[in-house]
Amino acid sequence: MRIWTLVLLLSVCCPSLAVAQSAVPDTADLYDSWSDRVLQVQVIEKQSQSKSGIGSGFLAGADGLVITNYHVIADLANHAGDYEARYLTANGEQGSLELVNVDVVHDLAVLRSSDLHAAPLAIAEEMPRQGTRLYSMGFPYDIGLTIVEGTYNGLLEKSLFERMHFTGSINPGMSGGPVLNQAGAVIGINVATAGNQVGFLIPAKFASRLLQNSGAEAIDSASLHATISRQLQDNQAHISASLLSADLASTQLRDYRVAGELADWMSCWGNSLQNNTDALKQVYYQCQSQDDIYLSDAFSTGIIRFQHDLISTDSLHPLRFYRQLQERSHYPQLRLEGNQETVSRYHCLSGFVTHAELNFKSTICVRAYRKLSGIYDAYFYLTSLVDDREALQSTLVLAGFSWDNLTRLTEQFVNSVSWQPAQQ
Amino acid sequence: MNDQSLDSARPLGSLEILNRNGQVLHRQVWNGSLVCIGRAHDNELVVVDPYVSPHHLQLSLQDGQPQAQDLDSLNGSYLGSSKSRQSLFPLGDGQTIHFGHSQLRFHSCSAEVAPTLRDTARLGMLSMLGSPWVLIGAAILALLALYASELLEDPGKLTSLGIAEEMSYPLIGITAWAGFWALMNRVLAHRFHFLAHLAIAFAGVAVLFAVAQLITLLGFALGLDNWVWWLRWLARISILGLVVFAHSHYFSQASPRRQALLAGIVALVLFGTPAVGSFIEKTQFSSLPWLDPLLLPPAYQWREGDSMEVFMQRAQSLRADADAGVDGGERD
């Protein structure tokens, strides 16, 4: 089970709002009417016959289809032979589940059980108004079915994928559980928490789309990988198109113009460092996309990260200075997950690149995904060869892109670098 | 032992007294006159061996042929590897008689002697290693190389004293290396010549550094980054091989081909092993890329840079490599 945790530095004040609502239903009645359609989803390791992960899910379609989060059943998707899925209802009934479909981009999965015959929960097609009272259900910490009251507080602004902000306690084990309005329609699906009553939901429309595209049969391993490949391809094509459609946003780093906050779903920050123990000064600027796509505990994709380091020295001889830059290159600033099961090793190439009368020493390293054909990760690294005592070192990391888009984005990244001395 | 000449007449050959290990203890000219051999001081050849009788053997000429006679000694006399005791035996050229824990050997004047060994420490190019100026010159170059190496590694943290301290570790290694070869020299050629071996080691360090810098310079200037790993290890192994050859050639009498073979094996073991380790590290799976771009100041760039489009076209080969890895080419 995986719960994403965001660290939010907020000064929270809690104005006491006394909003009179007429005809607020009794939560106990709501619990009674929905509890038979909310399940605990268990992923069982076959040899030990013990739970390797738990989450929640709900009946949401004909023929016993169950919606949960992809991250709840990722072990089953990645190692179908080693794991199996089961459900547990609030009143203790158990049965087996089989994987029918996934949407890794939106972190959703569809399971099916032939034993479940309760009426499915309805899925709302429209988003609620901000402030709407909602009810999240699930099995937190494996302690039984729970209903949590909260409010909807709009869509996250800095998110690549639509995410709803739910003010209410979502806890580990509730992932995949439904969030309903008073009428009993599913508005969203629990997916993550930042603690302190800050929770995140997947809009129910994505579950509805996934159900429409799901058959009634269990998906085999090859079809599953083909599905995931297609989803990642579509997602990277969408991201790339939006980034390549215009010049990249840029920012000034002393005398260099470099790629900046490319989109509102990227988060950027910077600082300057002067290490007292050596003669190098560093100004850095770093950006990364906010919503990685979870594929397994050890592997996420759909990532764009980059970092610009402006390194300078007052005292080192140029030969010593560039030797230090070379040493820095051995220790990548940005890292990607991945193991032998998921990706090939990196293959690298170095050479001189000239752009806009600037010379760079560039290195690109590429690795391919093992089960998801046509998808690559790239690690691009450049050092400017302009000044004897100052150099720009930029790193671009792309995870989960087609070769063509990876090439275009890397070229655009370099093309966005220029020498523009700041006006005094 | 007595070393006096037996006669002033024309010598017949030489007599040697050897210990049980075959080491010659004494050699003297023999002109064919009667020679008594034993522990007593009135013998012509006095042997210091408690297992030899006071009057053990006598040598004489019978019809122009050397002949040995045992003088009823306690432990007897034996010809060559024979186990049977004999009292009278002819002694041919190069034959040995065992008596007590010693041996007697006769060589006629016409017997061939082994070719003269060439003193490589005094002759040829390596003879200059005996000069203190060569040692001083090599030491200065090596110290400069080590200092430059430490200076390049250091990001401005170290004082001169700190750099000197860092240099002390390789210097200890160099001294130990020279000591090892001096010891080999002592064992195999009975001479130490530590300073000469130290000069070779210093020269090796200086050459190693100079070649490494040359490879870096050319690799960067010409954009040969992807070949530099190979060039570096090739240079290291070659230079170490040359250093080992110089050490061995300084004292060994083995043929140059055998010495080159030995040098190659030593170099491959000492540097080939880490080279293989580095290659495995470079090519095995890692979640981090192996980044090893060469970087020197802009003035050292001699080759024009490619446009980004051309660079990415070259990178197409990486795609094929990565796809091949996925298809089963990589099993780490």
Side-chain angles (χ1 to χ4, degrees):
Chain A
M1 178 165 36
R2 174 183 167 103
I3 292 295
W4 298 325
T5 303
L6 305 174
V7 177
L8 298 180
L9 299 173
L10 293 178
S11 171
V12 178
C13 65
C14 303
S16 59
L17 292 175
V19 179
Q21 291 197 353
S22 59
V24 174
D26 186 349
T27 308
D29 293 336
L30 297 177
Y31 176 89
D32 287 342
S33 57
W34 300 333
S35 61
D36 61 336
R37 283 166 283 179
V38 182
L39 316 165
Q40 184 182 57
V41 175
Q42 303 174 341
V43 176
I44 309 292
E45 199 278 318
K46 284 181 179 173
Q47 290 195 48
S48 63
Q49 280 297 304
S50 50
K51 288 180 276 193
S52 75
I54 54 169
S56 302
F58 58 95
L59 279 164
D63 307 319
L65 294 180
V66 172
I67 289 282
T68 187
N69 286 139
Y70 171 81
H71 75 254
V72 170
I73 54 84
D75 281 343
L76 177 69
N78 290 312
H79 304 281
D82 300 330
Y83 296 91
E84 61 189 11
R86 292 183 195 156
Y87 69 83
L88 173 69
T89 64
N91 57 16
E93 291 171 10
Q94 294 187 59
S96 63
L97 293 165
E98 55 190 14
L99 187 59
V100 171
N101 205 355
V102 297
D103 177 354
V104 293
V105 173
H106 296 104
D107 197 3
L108 289 171
V110 180
L111 304 161
R112 195 183 77 89
S113 170
S114 52
D115 309 329
L116 292 167
H117 303 296
L121 290 170
I123 293 181
E125 292 299 324
E126 293 184 2
M127 296 292 272
R129 292 169 55 212
Q130 184 160 2
T132 302
R133 183 182 296 266
L134 299 175
Y135 304 87
S136 170
M137 296 189 76
F139 291 76
Y141 297 106
D142 201 12
I143 54 175
L145 183 59
T146 302
I147 186 165
V148 176
E149 282 190 43
T151 49
Y152 170 63
N153 274 301
L155 291 172
L156 296 185
E157 290 179 1
K158 300 195 72 168
S159 179
L160 179 57
F161 313 116
E162 281 186 43
R163 286 277 190 276
M164 301 164 72
H165 176 195
F166 174 74
T167 304
S169 289
I170 300 177
N171 285 300
M174 294 176 75
S175 286
V179 180
L180 305 109
N181 60 18
Q182 291 170 352
V186 178
I187 296 293
I189 295 101
N190 299 323
V191 71
T193 179
N196 293 325
Q197 305 274 325
V198 177
F200 304 106
L201 314 177
I202 301 161
K205 64 181 179 185
F206 295 113
S208 182
R209 283 182 205 166
L210 185 60
L211 283 169
Q212 287 169 12
N213 294 327
S214 302
E217 299 301 318
I219 192 166
D220 60 55
S221 183
S223 303
L224 179 68
H225 290 138
T227 301
I228 294 174
S229 275
R230 194 175 59 249
Q231 290 167 356
L232 294 181
Q233 289 282 12
D234 291 347
N235 178 63
Q236 65 85 30
H238 171 69
I239 295 172
S240 303
S242 72
L243 292 177
L244 293 166
S245 61
D247 290 340
L248 290 185
S250 61
T251 189
Q252 192 81 20
L253 201 61
R254 214 174 285 168
D255 292 337
Y256 288 91
R257 199 77 197 161
V258 292
E261 194 166 321
L262 306 182
D264 57 6
W265 39 266
M266 295 201 82
S267 174
C268 300
W269 62 96
N271 209 336
S272 62
L273 302 170
Q274 166 80 66
N275 191 339
N276 290 330
T277 60
D278 63 35
L280 299 179
K281 287 186 282 192
Q282 176 188 5
V283 182
Y284 73 86
Y285 179 83
Q286 193 176 56
C287 291
Q288 69 174 45
S289 52
Q290 291 294 286
D291 300 282
D292 301 352
I293 297 171
Y294 176 94
L295 291 180
S296 73
D297 269 346
F299 193 39
S300 295
T301 185
I303 297 166
I304 298 181
R305 293 182 192 143
F306 57 86
Q307 178 167 332
H308 306 292
D309 294 287
L310 195 64
I311 315 290
S312 58
T313 183
D314 294 328
S315 56
L316 288 184
H317 183 276
L319 282 171
R320 292 179 68 190
F321 176 58
Y322 274 84
R323 178 59 172 262
Q324 291 309 309
L325 296 180
Q326 182 174 299
E327 290 298 315
R328 280 173 52 85
S329 315
H330 296 318
Y331 305 102
Q333 305 287 311
L334 304 174
R335 298 172 180 220
L336 289 175
E337 297 171 328
N339 54 33
Q340 285 171 271
E341 191 186 6
T342 52
V343 285
S344 73
R345 72 175 174 88
Y346 281 105
H347 296 265
C348 301
L349 175 79
S350 290
F352 292 120
V353 166
T354 301
H355 165 71
E357 298 181 357
L358 289 177
N359 283 326
F360 305 107
K361 174 53 85 63
S362 302
T363 302
I364 186 165
C365 298
V366 178
R367 65 182 187 182
Y369 286 31
R370 285 199 185 277
K371 295 173 184 167
L372 309 172
S373 63
I375 299 177
Y376 302 87
D377 288 348
Y379 195 105
F380 179 78
Y381 189 78
L382 69 78
T383 302
S384 68
L385 299 168
V386 174
D387 191 284
D388 278 349
R389 295 183 190 274
E390 181 183 78
L392 173 74
Q393 291 196 307
S394 291
T395 308
L396 170 68
V397 168
L398 298 168
F401 284 81
S402 70
W403 183 265
D404 288 346
N405 283 328
L406 178 153
T407 303
R408 287 189 204 132
L409 287 169
T410 306
E411 285 179 18
Q412 195 177 32
F413 180 77
V414 174
N415 292 341
S416 69
V417 180
S418 62
W419 172 259
Q420 290 186 12
Q423 298 295 317
Q424 296 295 319
Chain B
M1 191 168 293
N2 196 348
D3 194 20
Q4 65 182 357
S5 175
L6 294 175
D7 202 321
S8 58
R10 188 170 179 274
L12 190 69
S14 69
L15 295 174
E16 291 173 335
I17 301 296
L18 300 84
N19 66 12
R20 63 195 303 177
N21 297 322
Q23 188 181 355
V24 177
L25 301 177
H26 176 76
R27 179 180 292 131
Q28 69 177 43
V29 171
W30 184 40
N31 58 10
S33 60
L34 185 72
V35 175
C36 286
I37 302 168
R39 223 160 16 90
H41 297 286
D42 58 348
N43 287 298
E44 280 76 24
L45 231 170
V46 180
V47 179
V48 184
D49 179 348
Y51 297 93
V52 168
S53 296
H55 298 94
H56 200 116
L57 275 169
Q58 75 173 25
L59 284 183
S60 59
L61 272 183
Q62 291 295 322
D63 302 328
Q65 176 68 34
Q67 180 175 275
Q69 182 179 359
D70 188 275
L71 302 174
D72 292 330
S73 65
L74 178 64
N75 292 316
S77 302
Y78 307 83
L79 183 63
S81 57
S82 168
K83 300 288 182 193
S84 61
R85 185 172 177 157
Q86 286 177 257
S87 59
L88 191 65
F89 19 43
L91 190 57
D93 191 1
Q95 274 193 318
T96 304
I97 295 168
H98 290 258
F99 65 109
H101 282 187
S102 301
Q103 302 173 59
L104 172 71
R105 186 163 64 195
F106 166 69
H107 283 300
S108 71
C109 287
S110 59
E112 281 191 12
V113 295
T116 310
L117 294 180
R118 181 181 175 82
D119 188 350
T120 50
R122 295 187 192 283
L123 301 170
M125 278 185 63
L126 294 181
S127 62
M128 65 182 181
L129 290 170
S131 160
W133 295 110
V134 170
L135 174 65
I136 291 168
I140 289 172
L141 288 176
L143 289 172
L144 283 174
L146 290 174
Y147 184 78
S149 184
E150 294 298 340
L151 205 62
L152 282 173
E153 296 285 330
D154 169 50
K157 290 181 184 175
L158 293 176
T159 59
S160 297
L161 196 63
I163 290 178
E165 187 186 339
E166 290 295 321
M167 288 168 62
S168 65
Y169 304 113
L171 282 175
I172 291 169
I174 292 167
T175 309
W177 171 266
F180 167 78
W181 285 105
L183 204 61
M184 294 289 285
N185 193 341
R186 179 71 186 86
V187 169
L188 298 174
H190 314 295
R191 288 184 300 218
F192 257 116
H193 287 197
F194 172 74
L195 294 180
H197 288 292
L198 195 59
I200 294 173
F202 277 141
V205 167
V207 171
L208 201 60
F209 175 80
V211 171
Q213 299 315 309
L214 189 66
I215 289 173
T216 301
L217 175 67
L218 291 177
F220 175 80
L222 303 174
L224 303 174
D225 295 59
N226 301 304
W227 294 98
V228 160
W229 185 93
W230 295 99
L231 290 174
R232 276 181 183 154
W233 281 109
L234 187 66
R236 284 171 189 162
I237 292 170
S238 306
I239 292 168
L240 183 65
L242 285 174
V243 168
V244 172
F245 182 82
H247 281 298
S248 108
H249 196 63
Y250 188 69
F251 61 81
S252 172
Q253 296 299 327
S255 71
R257 185 176 292 182
R258 290 185 67 180
Q259 289 182 50
L261 184 67
L262 168 82
I265 290 170
V266 171
L268 279 174
V269 168
L270 291 184
F271 269 169
T273 310
V276 169
S278 172
F279 182 78
I280 290 171
E281 188 186 354
K282 178 178 150 79
T283 54
Q284 75 179 359
F285 179 86
S286 168
S287 59
L288 290 176
W290 175 277
L291 291 174
D292 201 14
L294 290 172
L295 288 174
L296 284 176
Y300 295 88
Q301 181 188 345
W302 299 344
R303 187 178 179 277
E304 288 277 310
D306 293 325
S307 69
M308 197 54 197
E309 292 73 21
V310 171
F311 180 74
M312 290 308 290
Q313 278 169 15
R314 286 177 57 208
Q316 281 278 356
S317 65
L318 304 179
R319 179 187 189 182
D321 292 342
D323 284 339
V326 165
D327 294 338
E330 287 171 15
R331 287 289 174 266
D332 305 303

